[in-house]
Amino acid sequence: MVLNYVWAAFFLITFIVALIKLIFLNDTEVFQNIVNSLFDSASTGASISLGLIGMMAFALGIMKIGEKGGVIAVFARIVGPFFNKLFPEIPKNHPALGSILMNFSANALGLDNAATPLGLKAMKELQELNPNKDTASNAQIMFIVLNASSLTLLPMSIMAYRQEAGALQPSDVFLPILIATFFSSISALILVAIYQKINLFNRTILAYLGGLSIGIGALLYYFTTLEQEQISVISSVVGNVILFGIFAGFIGAGLYKRINVYDAFIEGAKEGFDVAVKIIPYLVAILVSIAVFRASGTMDYLVDGMAFLFTSMGLDTQFVEALPVAFMKPLSGSGARGLMVELMNTNGADDFAARVACVIQGSTETTFYVLAVYFGSVAIKKTRYALPCALLSELVGVIAAIIVAYIFFG
């Protein structure tokens, strides 16, 4: 229901702003720009969905081999004690637990192309357990909100953009991004846990989170001892080795179990094709609303208003130039990335606002895109409290990014 109102608000606010610009500013091209962006984004939405078909078919084909070969069940048993507390609706050792873990792992490694199909696979398995097919279940909400909180541990693309922009130390945003991401993800977990009355002080949850925190801390310390080029090479090689190793491991396990791995792959690939086609209308809907919102200039007015507000309060406004990235990221990942690159090119990669933009970009997620694609893939219409929790955790991530940037670079 909330997504319904937000989606409608984009169009209504856009129309009002554009009408004001036409009447009072004599901007005769504003509606033409909006209509052009509407048609372009609709075409883009369909293209993105169709472009996912190949990756979806491959990923779900491999996942089907892993499921029949028993590997997914092994993953489910490994994370079972922890996930059973966070997802009490999911039966013990259910394949959905393994799919969720695979999705989280791909996100953490920055493997977005693999994370999306794995996440859609998890959503489909969770939907099979959902008694109300048009309403998001607690497990689906927990999964999506955590996904939307940004789980990336290796923000290599951002460091690469900084290197291209001439940053003296492209990796200096690495630690700030991970700290801000930690706060974003923890806030997402707490918010959903409050709604679902999950006891986060349970010993099992604390043990897993503690172990994860120690592991992340050790990883952070290790990367702080490396040069930028070493970080790039190690993270890229390790990520791809792990990914392909999983694929090969699934096939090897399937052969060991004496299943027909080729037929299993084809079976899963057909499911991937169906999912990619189903998300087209949902993706088109969200991308069109975002495009018209941007084309009307509403985003610019929003940023200018925030700058005036902070100035009036007597606060430091160095970070304000980075706010367009914060406003754009929940709507469009490519749009936020473009704003980040533009800011670095204009002010310099080592400018404070540019660094803030990089930290925000790395510690937040495309919330509306995630919700539209994931819920749309299983035809969920009633998202309940998923959007408010996701947006609040996004806000925490932005605030944490600004504060951490002041601590490191201010």
Side-chain angles (χ1 to χ4, degrees):
M1 185 62 71
V2 176
L3 188 59
N4 169 53
Y5 290 128
V6 171
W7 186 78
F10 278 131
F11 286 94
L12 297 177
I13 293 173
T14 294
F15 179 76
I16 294 171
V17 171
L19 198 60
I20 291 174
K21 292 179 71 174
L22 175 63
I23 296 174
F24 295 100
L25 301 179
N26 196 31
D27 187 348
T28 57
E29 297 182 355
V30 61
F31 278 100
Q32 182 63 52
N33 292 335
I34 290 173
V35 172
N36 288 342
S37 66
L38 186 153
F39 290 131
D40 289 343
S41 59
S43 175
T44 299
S47 299
I48 291 174
S49 300
L50 294 176
L52 280 174
I53 289 178
M55 189 60 199
M56 285 292 301
F58 176 78
L60 296 196
I62 290 291
M63 287 293 286
K64 181 61 70 174
I65 294 175
E67 182 181 330
K68 292 191 173 185
V71 181
I72 300 299
V74 172
F75 285 144
R77 283 195 294 271
I78 292 173
V79 299
F82 178 57
F83 277 9
N84 287 336
K85 300 298 182 182
L86 294 186
F87 302 94
E89 296 178 349
I90 304 178
K92 292 183 177 181
N93 301 326
H94 191 275
L97 296 175
S99 298
I100 292 172
L101 176 63
M102 294 288 291
N103 169 260
F104 286 172
S105 299
N107 273 317
L109 293 170
L111 304 171
D112 297 336
N113 289 336
T116 298
L118 293 172
L120 295 176
K121 170 70 171 175
M123 280 297 289
K124 181 179 179 182
E125 291 169 343
L126 292 175
Q127 183 69 351
E128 293 173 358
L129 300 172
N130 186 4
N132 302 314
K133 299 303 181 183
D134 66 339
T135 304
S137 66
N138 286 347
Q140 288 173 322
I141 292 175
M142 176 65 82
F143 172 63
I144 284 186
V145 174
L146 286 176
N147 238 287
S149 70
S150 180
L151 298 167
T152 302
L153 298 180
L154 299 174
M156 291 311 306
S157 62
I158 294 174
M159 289 188 283
Y161 282 120
R162 282 182 52 73
Q163 188 169 31
E164 291 178 9
L168 293 177
Q169 295 184 12
S171 61
D172 60 6
V173 297
F174 176 61
L175 193 57
I177 286 174
L178 292 186
I179 294 173
T181 296
F182 175 79
F183 282 104
S184 175
S185 298
I186 288 296
S187 65
L189 180 60
I190 292 173
L191 285 168
V192 179
I194 291 173
Y195 270 101
Q196 299 183 4
K197 295 180 173 58
I198 296 174
N199 179 19
L200 294 179
F201 295 100
N202 178 276
R203 282 184 293 182
T204 301
I205 294 178
L206 290 177
Y208 272 84
L209 289 179
L212 180 62
S213 299
I214 292 173
I216 292 174
L219 183 66
L220 287 177
Y221 175 76
Y222 173 67
F223 276 114
T224 57
T225 64
L226 303 177
E227 297 293 333
Q228 166 64 28
E229 293 183 0
Q230 291 177 300
I231 294 175
S232 300
V233 172
I234 291 174
S235 62
S236 176
V237 171
V238 170
N240 287 309
V241 167
I242 291 175
L243 183 63
F244 191 75
I246 290 173
F247 293 158
F250 280 15
I251 294 173
L255 292 174
Y256 178 77
K257 288 283 188 177
R258 299 183 182 277
I259 67 170
N260 189 321
V261 293
Y262 181 79
D263 286 348
F265 177 86
I266 296 301
E267 181 183 347
K270 290 179 180 178
E271 296 176 6
F273 178 85
D274 293 338
V275 171
V277 172
K278 284 180 181 178
I279 67 175
I280 291 178
Y282 299 93
L283 192 55
V284 168
I286 200 68
L287 289 182
V288 166
S289 64
I290 292 169
V292 299
F293 189 76
R294 290 182 62 189
S296 67
T298 308
M299 180 67 72
D300 296 330
Y301 291 131
L302 185 60
V303 173
D304 292 341
M306 294 295 291
F308 176 78
L309 175 63
F310 289 121
T311 301
S312 302
M313 296 170 63
L315 299 176
D316 184 89
T317 58
Q318 290 185 79
F319 69 93
V320 170
E321 286 186 274
L323 288 181
V325 176
F327 291 135
M328 182 57 61
K329 189 60 185 289
L331 307 174
S332 169
S334 60
R337 183 168 56 251
L339 292 171
M340 177 192 71
V341 172
E342 181 183 12
L343 187 57
M344 286 195 291
N345 291 336
T346 302
N347 293 6
D350 292 324
D351 174 73
F352 179 76
R355 280 170 162 161
V356 174
C358 291
V359 179
I360 291 174
Q361 174 75 1
S363 58
T364 54
E365 188 54 90
T366 51
T367 301
F368 287 98
Y369 173 88
V370 170
L371 266 66
V373 171
Y374 279 40
F375 280 134
S377 68
V378 290
I380 292 290
K381 298 178 181 178
K382 300 175 182 178
T383 60
R384 301 167 67 198
Y385 49 86
L387 182 59
C389 286
L391 289 178
L392 279 174
S393 65
E394 186 104 11
L395 177 61
V396 170
V398 170
I399 294 173
I402 294 171
I403 293 174
V404 170
Y406 270 100
I407 293 173
F408 277 79
F409 312 119

